[in-house]
Amino acid sequence: MGLSPVSQYLLMFISVLSLTGRVTKAQTVPVTFYPFGSVAGDTVGIAIEDANSTLVDLWRPFVFFGRTYNKTYVNNNGHLTFNQPLPEYYPNNFPINGNEDIIAPLWTDVDVSLNGSISYQQYSNGSVLTQATRDINQYFPYLNFTATWVLVATWDRVQYLFYSGTEASFQVVLISGGDLSFILMNYGDCAETLNGVQAGYDTVNSTSHSVITVSGSFIPNLVNSSNVNVPGRWAFRVDSAPENIIGVELRVISFSDLTKSENIVNVLEKLQQELVKSGLPSSAKLNFRRIQKTRP
């Protein structure tokens, strides 16, 4: 007995699934992501093998905590380095106290041979610079910043090694203008994994570092996490050397001036302005805690 047209179609469909090994899902672009992929003109399909890296010659120098770089390596396993590629797939916990500056939106064991892609694009004009300028001035409003260069590196729906069917989408954006440098870490949907994970950045000898608290079971919450009140986005100022000392000059006529709530508010506002200039996100709030020492 011959097969009906419908049965033939179903048989063909099943055969295609068997050959491809997976069905491509409809892509939903995370709202925090900068343009990426072939439609944005990215260089796509880089660092396709585990422990591979792609060298990117930067169009503009990028200052990272006092060190100026003209190149970066986009590494397969979710991070950028500057002096050399980093093949390690199992992350070290920050602070490493090592000899390499590293920016890691999501350092974990990634396998793009079965699913997903890694891409990058640089910009020195156009709407992406406008977007970067707007974002940085929103998060650091006292700097009057203008972006002159942007690098966007994206890990789009990449799979974790040994975890078939998993997907993770994340992105790091390097932004510079004048002597100021920033990084954005953007997160879409990221599946759980039992592989080691690390997110944040670290510097040579760990003189400065920042950690986004993350574990295998917490990874799906990255899309809702933030330090700038924008779910799925973390922002950091990264140009300043850690030796910088912040000073605020205030004139207090008497101790009683600091007991008045309106004066305390003014002190905190001035202090916050100076801290924001040095990299504290504008969404951070400072509180004054009064401690009264009693004599024995």
Side-chain angles (χ1 to χ4, degrees), residues 79 88-94 96 107-109 195-199:
H79 44 68
E88 280 80 4
Y89 57 86
Y90 195 87
N92 297 313
N93 292 328
F94 298 159
I96 298 175
W107 185 357
T108 190
D109 200 350
N195 294 336
V197 291
Q198 177 71 79

Side-chain angles (χ1 to χ4, degrees), residues 36-264:
F36 71 94
S38 56
V39 295
D42 279 14
T43 299
V44 183
I46 64 172
I48 59 175
E49 298 294 336
D50 191 32
N52 273 189
S53 303
T54 296
L55 173 63
V56 179
D57 292 317
L58 305 181
W59 295 352
R60 300 283 191 278
F62 184 74
V63 179
F64 189 71
F65 291 101
R67 286 173 289 276
T68 301
Y69 293 106
N70 294 295
K71 65 180 180 181
T72 189
Y73 292 89
V74 181
N75 300 303
N76 172 274
N77 290 309
H79 44 68
L80 306 182
T81 48
F82 296 98
N83 290 322
Q84 58 189 357
L86 184 63
E88 280 80 4
Y89 57 86
Y90 195 87
N92 297 313
N93 292 328
F94 298 159
I96 298 175
N97 294 304
N99 59 0
E100 180 67 77
D101 289 328
I102 180 170
I103 299 171
L106 191 62
W107 185 357
T108 190
D109 200 350
V110 168
D111 182 3
V112 296
S113 64
L114 294 176
N115 195 71
S117 65
I118 305 172
S119 64
Y120 76 89
Q121 172 71 296
Q122 298 186 70
Y123 301 89
S124 59
N125 56 62
S127 60
V128 170
L129 261 65
T130 302
Q131 180 180 357
T133 298
R134 181 179 63 248
D135 286 342
I136 296 305
N137 282 313
Q138 176 183 344
Y139 309 142
F140 306 92
Y142 302 106
L143 298 177
N144 192 25
F145 175 76
T146 300
T148 57
W149 172 84
V150 170
L151 169 70
V152 181
T154 307
W155 288 256
D156 178 35
R157 297 178 296 165
V158 296
Q159 178 175 297
Y160 305 128
L161 188 66
F162 302 130
Y163 291 89
S164 177
T166 57
E167 290 185 355
S169 295
F170 52 94
Q171 185 180 74
V172 62
V173 183
L174 276 57
I175 303 171
S176 69
D179 296 328
L180 303 179
S181 301
F182 303 86
I183 56 176
L184 304 179
M185 296 183 183
N186 299 324
Y187 297 97
D189 291 330
C190 297
E192 292 186 23
T193 179
L194 295 179
N195 294 336
V197 291
Q198 177 71 79
Y201 64 81
D202 196 15
T203 59
V204 174
N205 297 322
S206 297
T207 52
S208 184
H209 69 276
S210 182
V211 176
I212 299 174
T213 303
V214 62
S215 62
S217 59
F218 179 81
I219 288 179
N221 293 326
L222 282 171
V223 70
N224 299 312
S225 67
S226 179
N227 66 339
V228 289
N229 290 329
V230 178
R233 172 169 291 171
W234 291 70
F236 306 94
R237 181 179 172 184
V238 296
D239 54 88
S240 301
E243 293 80 12
N244 287 354
I245 299 174
I246 299 170
V248 179
E249 181 178 351
L250 300 171
R251 177 172 296 180
V252 179
I253 297 176
S254 67
F255 178 77
S256 62
D257 285 352
L258 287 177
T259 64
K260 299 178 181 178
S261 59
E262 62 270 21
N263 290 339
I264 293 175

